Each structure stands twice: as C-alpha cells, then as structure tokens.
C-alpha cells in the first residue's frame, strides 16, 4: 500500500467548528496509507494582486503546505449558500501569482457538514467550480453532504452514528483509491 501526504483545509475559522470535528473524524477513519497535515488559512490577509511581487509569509506557508502534499482535502461549511470568505480567499492566494497555481495537477476532494438537511451542497458546488478552474483533479464520487446532529461527532473525532461512521470510512477509502490512481498518472506524465 502506497503512502500519501494529505493537506487538509477547514473552511471555517471557528475553533469549535463542526467541520473541524468532521476533519478529525475523517483522519481517524482514513486508511493507514494517508497522513494528514492541516493547511491553515486564518492568518491570510485579503488577497490583492498588489501582493503578487512580495507574498506575505502566511501566503507562502499556504503555498508550501499545498506543495508538500500529494493531495488536498477540503472540509467546509456553507455560509449564506456559498463558500466561506476565508476559504475563497485562500484559493485566490494559492492560485496566484499567474503561473504559480498551487492547485494545478493536485488531486482534491470536498466534504462538509451543516445542521441543515442539504449539508453543504451549494458551497461544495461552488468550491468544485473554483477547483476545476484551478486545474485540480477532483474526486467527484461519492459526494458527501453530512447533516450534523447533536453529538454526531465529538471533539476527538469519534462518530456516534454507525451508518455515518461507515459512510465516512468508505469515503476515505475512496479518497485513498482516487489519490493512488491519480498521483502516479500525474507523475508519469511529467517525465
């Protein structure tokens, strides 16, 4: 079994975010071949091309975190039927300046949780659109819109509902398989 480094980005800046809990659960349920490192987005200033000639440290760390990862997992809420501003800002930073798009040819997957019944469907659709423009190969199936109910996932990432735990485990197995399929193809096409 090959090993891969996964950088994960939580779209919420809140310390008690239910999406942060979901990220912890996903790491606990992932196959042994995946190791995880959070790529923080909270210290990024608002993007402006005025910074392109002199990127701030937080933006350089973001780009390095993505470069050091074999794949990126996005775990995001939905704000007002869209991508959280902090996450969109991070995507803008990572894709700039022109010609240095960190997401190009970087496999990715998107998942999220919300108290609402449609989970984070609209935010995920918008995020997928941005990642497609950034040339990131995406795991399109299975889609995962998790309705968060009280005590579904605790602070340590333990999932209380067996069917949700089974689904998230299968999701992470599929993510591993996707990475294992895509990374060798991208590596061989560079040679």
């Amino acid at each position: 079994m090959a090993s891969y480094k996964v950088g994960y980005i939580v779209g919420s800046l809140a310390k008690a975010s239910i999406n942060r809990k979901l990220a912890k659960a996903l790491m606990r349920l992932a196959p042994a071949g995946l190791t995880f490192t959070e790529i923080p987005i909270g210290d990024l200033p608002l993007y402006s091309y005025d910074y392109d000639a002199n990127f701030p440290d937080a933006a350089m760390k973001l780009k390095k975190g993505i470069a050091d990862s074999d794949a990126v997992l996005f775990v995001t809420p939905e704000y007002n039927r869209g991508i959280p501003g902090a996450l969109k800002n991070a995507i803008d930073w990572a894709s700039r300046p022109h010609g240095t798009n960190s997401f190009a040819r970087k496999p990715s997957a998107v998942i999220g949780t919300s108290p609402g019944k449609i989970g984070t469907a609209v935010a995920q659709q918008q995020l997928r659109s941005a990642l497609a423009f950034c040339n990131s190969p995406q795991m399109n199936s299975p889609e995962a819109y998790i309705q968060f109910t009280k005590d579904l996932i605790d602070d340590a990432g333990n999932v209380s509902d067996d069917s949700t735990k089974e689904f998230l485990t299968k999701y992470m197995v599929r993510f591993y398989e996707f990475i294992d399929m895509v990374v060798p193809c991208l590596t061989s096409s560079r040679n």
Side-chain angles (χ1 to χ4, degrees), residues 67-142:
D68 289 347
S69 301
D70 296 309
V72 179
L73 176 64
F74 292 88
V75 186
T76 188
E78 181 173 294
Y79 292 169
N80 300 318
R81 295 285 188 259
I83 302 172
L87 180 54
K88 178 61 169 81
N89 186 50
I91 292 167
D92 293 343
W93 276 109
S95 66
R96 300 295 301 177
H98 181 72
T100 65
N101 174 11
S102 299
F103 293 117
R105 301 168 57 91
K106 186 71 62 171
S108 63
V110 178
I111 189 170
T113 188
S114 167
K117 291 191 183 228
I118 63 167
T120 57
V122 178
Q124 287 190 41
Q125 186 264 342
Q126 291 176 0
L127 180 53
R128 289 177 191 282
S129 178
L131 292 171
F133 179 79
C134 290
N135 197 25
S136 173
Q138 298 173 57
M139 182 177 84
N140 294 312
S141 179

Side-chain angles (χ1 to χ4, degrees), residues 33-95:
L34 300 179
T35 58
F36 296 87
T37 303
E38 183 171 4
I39 302 172
I41 62 173
D43 293 334
L44 293 166
L46 290 176
Y47 174 74
S48 167
Y49 66 80
D50 293 337
Y51 290 108
D52 283 0
N54 189 19
F55 257 40
D57 286 342
M60 294 303 293
K61 288 178 184 174
L62 172 74
K63 290 178 83 63
K64 183 174 181 350
I66 296 167
D68 289 347
S69 301
D70 296 309
V72 179
L73 176 64
F74 292 88
V75 186
T76 188
E78 181 173 294
Y79 292 169
N80 300 318
R81 295 285 188 259
I83 302 172
L87 180 54
K88 178 61 169 81
N89 186 50
I91 292 167
D92 293 343
W93 276 109
S95 66

Side-chain angles (χ1 to χ4, degrees), residues 6 22-23 25-27 29-31 34 36 72-76 108-112 120 124 127-128 131 138-146 163-179:
V6 176
L22 176 58
L26 294 169
M27 288 182 275
L29 299 172
L34 300 179
F36 296 87
V72 179
L73 176 64
F74 292 88
V75 186
T76 188
S108 63
V110 178
I111 189 170
T120 57
Q124 287 190 41
L127 180 53
R128 289 177 191 282
L131 292 171
Q138 298 173 57
M139 182 177 84
N140 294 312
S141 179
E143 295 179 317
Y145 314 110
I146 309 301
S163 64
T164 301
K165 184 176 182 178
E166 180 181 349
F167 175 80
L168 294 176
T169 300
K170 287 179 182 177
Y171 180 89
M172 293 308 289
V173 168
R174 291 290 303 275
F175 186 41
Y176 172 84
E177 292 170 348
F178 175 75
I179 297 167

